């Protein structure tokens, strides 16, 4: 039997011939959901067979068995921790069992206290056994390792050495223990490492080379790596040092230096393939080495210039002759060219040719001599490096740098020939993150490679597809006639991506949002065109999956407006340009004021008062929403406490504050709420926190834990915008929620749409069955209020009662006292 309670399962051999005792232990393991796998044996013979053929972590053996005793199990010498239990124990038996090697000895009982003690003993036995095995393996490792290992105390004296140390230095353990480790340091030579003290050694340790002295006085070069030993409180207790004899390496390095010197001398005395051109006679001398570089025998190459030129690759010949002529005419101080030549095996290799002309008194060249060197390997390496620098490693597609270079060429061609139109498609995969998160990066990489191949198949000759990073791609379409031609390519892309991908045995579908920018818009810089295609792509993505949008200048204006808004918002947080308005919460049946919902406003220095819909999305994307949210919580708590103190009748009023997903998942939420309540003096029962359905569903386990802690403090919790998220009433009973707020989209159609009336009726009925109260938001007409009253809704808010009020307007309202709310309507925003 097994119950997964922890990360690992303990395998327990239970040797017990009493069925009742065995069942008591098994039942306790089940009830406690302990991670035990219990294998039972009712006799010593059965136990011996199991121990011989299976592996266990701990053995629990009854002392008195039908065919023997627990001592017989101990005598097997399994090396496992064995716990002996007995129904009638005495000190003599206990001593005998423990001397025989048992880990512990317990007297049986069916009481829960005994069973708990038994499981503690089992777990302790497993841990000690694991520690002993670890220590044994470490000891074996130190013994078998080739490097010399020694440990010194804080005074620098030896406390431990391994066998390799004794073999290397000639000291036996009894000779060296307690002796200062400076005995190893050779005298009269400069060391990279000094003996030093443990207190001076950096925590990350140190490494270097030095010379050590053996017991017989001989010196050997060593590589030292040493680190301080820290205890559980991070205090230094000693130093562990690993030493490697590097005598052979030093000998090799010396031999290598000598070899390099010999090679340098040999290279200086040799030369590449040589050539000597007699310009007056028109003949060229090619050395044997020059010919052998290309695989030709001495007689296979003539002495004319054409014998050289006919071997040169046609694509390289024109430049070679031009550079030769330039040097012969005195336009360059020397001649140098790299070109491809055909070898005898009919392959082309790259060679570097250098030369210098010999001139007469008039400066006329009459001789040109030089050398030739095979540089094929270097050129291949350069080509690989160039390709790697300009291509994506994963997909092999051009990267951003190469794409921008080709886009720059397209812009330049269009500048010279305005009829040479081109376009850019910017793609972003719509569901790539789902695959990456569910199957891992390996599957994501495979998908990107497959998508790359399909994108290439959609292109025309001369077009370019590049991977810009992540799941973003760009396509350059050249020589296009109109937008219809771009659309045809985009349609092919959609069709290719619509086909399923098979990734690690799973079938996946994906799509891409496409942004298109055309040269007809007029561009001077390639980065502007790519930016606008990116802007169009984001507009497409905001409109839903698998959309396509063509850029127009208005998009850029909107993007710049959003950028300015983001910059203003960052300054607004620092300058505290925000204020809180308060919308009344009213009892449906009695019209009495019950509290307020705190709503943030931004006093923009140029645009005036902005509502949340105009800036909260940007605040959330930039991470500023959390700072704004904490400020609203603080301000609302302080205001409500002030009003309660000023108006005695308002002591029962509450204030409701919205929490976003980042606040709810913040590790400082509980501390923040407690701190604000303490600072303001507001009672927890007067604070209500509102969370949307979508926020709950993002991390249900974390949400449940946090909401439970808040609820235990007396804070009331609301589900905001109910009906627009992903959860359902059947799931809400899992959370400590007090209120549901029915979304205004249902209330707005309440009087005219019978379907919405039924939805609201069902929500209210099921909420009441779960002992939840209901609040309707967006109530604007008496008819809506009347219907909500008939349906049993407890609370409402909306323009029927009041628009959100400034703090001053709230105080004017509170001055009226606890009268029915009526139709208090204000011009506040």
């Amino acid at each position: 039997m097994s119950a997964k309670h922890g990360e690992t399962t303990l395998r327990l051999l239970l040797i017990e011939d009493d069925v009742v005792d065995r069942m008591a232990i098994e039942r306790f393991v089940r009830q406690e959901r302990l991670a035990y796998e219990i294998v039972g044996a009712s006799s010593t013979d059965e136990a011996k067979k199991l121990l011989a053929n299976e592996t266990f972590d701990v053995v629990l053996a009854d002392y008195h068995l039908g065919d023997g005793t627990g001592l017989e199990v101990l005598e097997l010498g399994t090396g496992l921790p064995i716990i002996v239990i007995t129904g009638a124990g005495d000190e003599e038996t206990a001593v005998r069992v423990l001397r025989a090697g048992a880990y512990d000895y317990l007297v049986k009982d069916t009481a829960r206290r005994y069973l708990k003690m038994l499981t503690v003993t089992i777990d302790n036995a497993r841990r000690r056994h694991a520690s002993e095995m670890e220590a044994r393996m470490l000891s074996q490792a130190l013994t078998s390792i080739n490097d010399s290992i020694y440990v010194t105390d804080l005074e620098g004296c030896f406390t431990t050495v391994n066998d390799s140390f004794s073999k290397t230095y000639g000291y036996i353990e009894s000779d060296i223990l307690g002796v200062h480790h400076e005995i190893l340091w050779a005298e009269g030579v400069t060391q990279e490492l000094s003996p030093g003290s443990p207190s001076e050694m950096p925590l990350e340790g140190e490494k270097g080379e030095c010379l050590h002295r053996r017991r017989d006085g001989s010196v050997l070069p060593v590589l030292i790596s040493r680190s301080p030993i820290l205890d559980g409180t991070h205090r230094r207790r000693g130093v562990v040092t690993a030493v490697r004899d590097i005598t052979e390496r030093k000998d090799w390095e010396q031999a290598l230096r000598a070899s390099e010197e010999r090679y340098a001398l040999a290279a200086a005395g040799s030369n590449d393939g040589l050539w000597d051109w007699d310009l007056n006679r028109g003949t060229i001398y090619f050395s044997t080495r020059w010919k052998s570089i290309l695989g030709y025998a001495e007689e296979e190459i003539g002495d004319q210039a054409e014998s050289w030129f006919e071997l040169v690759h046609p694509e390289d010949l024109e430049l070679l002759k031009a550079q030769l002529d330039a040097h012969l005419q005195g336009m360059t101080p020397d001649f140098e060219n790299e070109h491809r030549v055909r070898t005898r095996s009919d392959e082309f290799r790259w060679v570097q040719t250098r030369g210098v002309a010999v001139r007469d008194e008039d400066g006329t060249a009459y001789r040109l001599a030089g050398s030739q060197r095979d540089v094929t390997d270097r050129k291949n390496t350069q080509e690989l490096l160039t390709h790697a620098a300009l291509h994506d490693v994963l997909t092999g597609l051009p990267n951003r740098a190469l794409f921008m270079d080709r886009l720059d060429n397209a812009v330049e061609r269009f500048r010279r020939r305005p009829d040479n139109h081109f376009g850019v498609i910017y793609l972003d995969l719509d569901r790539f993150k789902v695959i990456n998160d569910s199957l891992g990066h390996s599957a994501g990489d495979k998908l990107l490679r497959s998508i790359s191949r399909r994108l290439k198949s959609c292109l025309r000759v001369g077009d370019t597809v590049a991977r810009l990073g992540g799941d973003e791609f760009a396509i350059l379409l050249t020589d296009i006639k109109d937008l219809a031609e771009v659309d045809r390519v985009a349609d092919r892309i959609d069709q290719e991506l619509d086909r399923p991908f098979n990734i690690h045995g799973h079938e996946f579908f994906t799509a891409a949002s496409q942004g298109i920018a055309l040269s007809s818009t007029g561009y001077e810089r390639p980065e502007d065109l790519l930016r606008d295609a990116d802007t169009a792509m984001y507009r497409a993505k905001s409109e839903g999956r698998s959309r396509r949008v063509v850029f127009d200048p208005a998009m850029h204006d909107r993007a710049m407006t959003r950028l300015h808004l983001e910059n203003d918002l960052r300054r607004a947080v620092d300058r505290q340009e925000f204020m809180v308005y308060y919308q009344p919460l009213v009892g449906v049946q009695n019209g009495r004021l019950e509290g307020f919902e705190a709503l943030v406003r931004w006093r923009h220095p140029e645009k005036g008062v902005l509502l949340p819909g105009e800036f909260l999305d940007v605040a959330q994307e930039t991470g500023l929403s959390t700072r704004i949210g904490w400020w609203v919580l603080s301000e609302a708590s302080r205001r409500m406490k002030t009003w309660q103190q000023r108006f005695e009748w308002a002591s029962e009023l509450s204030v409701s504050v919205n929490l976003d997903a980042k606040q709810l998942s913040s590790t400082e939420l509980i501390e923040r709420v407690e701190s604000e309540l303490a600072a303001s003096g507001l009672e927890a029962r007067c604070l209500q926190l509102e969370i949307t359905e979508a926020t709950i569903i993002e991390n249900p386990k974390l949400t449940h834990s946090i909401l439970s802690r808040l609820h235990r403090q007396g804070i009331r919790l609301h589900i905001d915008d109910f009906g627009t998220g992903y959860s359902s009433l059947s799931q809400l009973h899992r959370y400590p929620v007090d209120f549901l707020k029915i979304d205004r989209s249902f209330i707005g159609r309440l009087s005219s749409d019978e379907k919405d009336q039924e939805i609201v009726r069902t929500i209210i009925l099921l909420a009441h069955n779960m002992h939840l109260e209901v609040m309707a938001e967006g109530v604007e007409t008496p008819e809506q209020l009347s219907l909500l009253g008939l349906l049993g809704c407890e609370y409402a808010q909306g323009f029927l009662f009041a628009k959100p009020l400034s703090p001053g307007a709230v105080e004017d309202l509170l001055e009226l006292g606890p009268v029915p709310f009526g139709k208090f309507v204000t011009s506040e925003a």
Side-chain angles (χ1 to χ4, degrees), residues 84-150:
V84 178
I85 55 176
T86 181
D90 53 55
E91 292 184 1
E92 182 179 350
T93 303
V95 170
R96 184 182 309 118
V97 167
L98 293 175
R99 284 181 176 175
Y103 172 78
D104 207 345
Y105 173 82
L106 298 175
V107 177
K108 285 196 289 187
D109 191 352
T110 58
R112 190 173 185 82
R113 181 180 60 80
Y114 156 75
L115 294 171
K116 281 195 172 184
M117 183 172 66
L118 178 60
T119 58
V120 170
T121 304
I122 291 171
D123 289 339
N124 288 340
R126 173 171 63 172
R127 281 193 291 271
R128 194 180 81 173
H129 181 63
S131 297
E132 290 173 350
M133 292 295 293
E134 184 176 339
R136 189 176 299 118
M137 288 188 290
L138 180 59
S139 176
Q140 291 173 351
L142 287 175
T143 301
S144 60
I145 197 168
N146 290 328
D147 289 348
S148 299
I149 306 294
Y150 64 84

Side-chain angles (χ1 to χ4, degrees), residues 4-28:
K4 296 292 183 181
H5 184 67
E7 294 183 359
T8 58
T9 301
L10 181 145
R11 202 156 192 267
L12 174 69
L13 176 60
L14 175 58
I15 310 172
E16 175 62 75
D17 59 357
D18 190 314
V19 177
V20 174
D21 289 344
R22 183 170 67 248
M23 291 178 64
I25 294 173
E26 292 176 344
R27 184 169 57 253
F28 179 80

Side-chain angles (χ1 to χ4, degrees), residues 392-397 444-446 448-449 467:
D392 176 51
V393 176
L394 177 64
T395 63
L397 295 179
D445 290 348
K446 184 175 181 181
L448 289 173
R449 287 191 290 267
R467 182 184 177 215

Side-chain angles (χ1 to χ4, degrees), residues 610-627:
L610 300 183
L611 300 178
E614 299 177 82
F615 64 86
L616 271 188
D617 285 347
V618 177
Q620 289 172 348
E621 291 178 11
T622 56
L624 296 172
S625 61
T626 301
R627 290 177 62 186

Side-chain angles (χ1 to χ4, degrees), residues 588-589 742 746-747 749-751 753-768 772-774 776 783-795:
V588 172
Q589 303 299 331
I742 303 177
F746 296 109
I747 305 303
R749 301 188 299 269
L750 189 59
S751 58
D753 194 322
E754 293 184 1
K755 182 179 178 181
D756 282 337
Q757 289 184 24
E758 286 303 315
I759 292 175
V760 173
R761 185 194 309 275
T762 302
I763 292 174
I764 294 173
L765 178 62
L766 291 178
H768 288 167
L772 302 179
E773 294 184 288
V774 181
E783 185 179 2
Q784 292 170 353
L785 181 63
S786 177
L787 283 171
L788 288 170
L790 293 174
L791 295 175
C793 180
E794 287 87 358
Y795 305 101

